[in-house]
Amino acid sequence: MDYVSALLPPAVMAVFFIGVIRVIVKTQGGANKAKEDAVVDAALARAEGTRQASPQPKA
């Protein structure tokens, strides 16, 4: 019975890891991809605008 208790934690972790990978793969793309891309593009544009608006220090 010791072999069962020795193999159970790695087996549980492997199943959990496979589940996490499946969730990550399933959430990539799909119907929400355009919405997520738009949010990222807006954040990048806002950061770029802030960077350009701030005065550049003289070296």
Side-chain angles (χ1 to χ4, degrees), residues 8-31:
L8 190 60
V12 170
M13 289 187 340
V15 168
F16 179 73
F17 181 72
I18 290 169
V20 168
I21 296 300
R22 289 187 68 199
V23 167
I24 290 171
V25 169
K26 280 187 173 186
T27 57
Q28 299 300 309

Side-chain angles (χ1 to χ4, degrees), residues 25-46:
V25 169
K26 280 187 173 186
T27 57
Q28 299 300 309
N32 291 330
K33 183 167 178 42
K35 203 172 7 174
E36 292 169 357
D37 288 348
V39 169
V40 170
D41 289 342
L44 289 174
R46 190 171 33 234

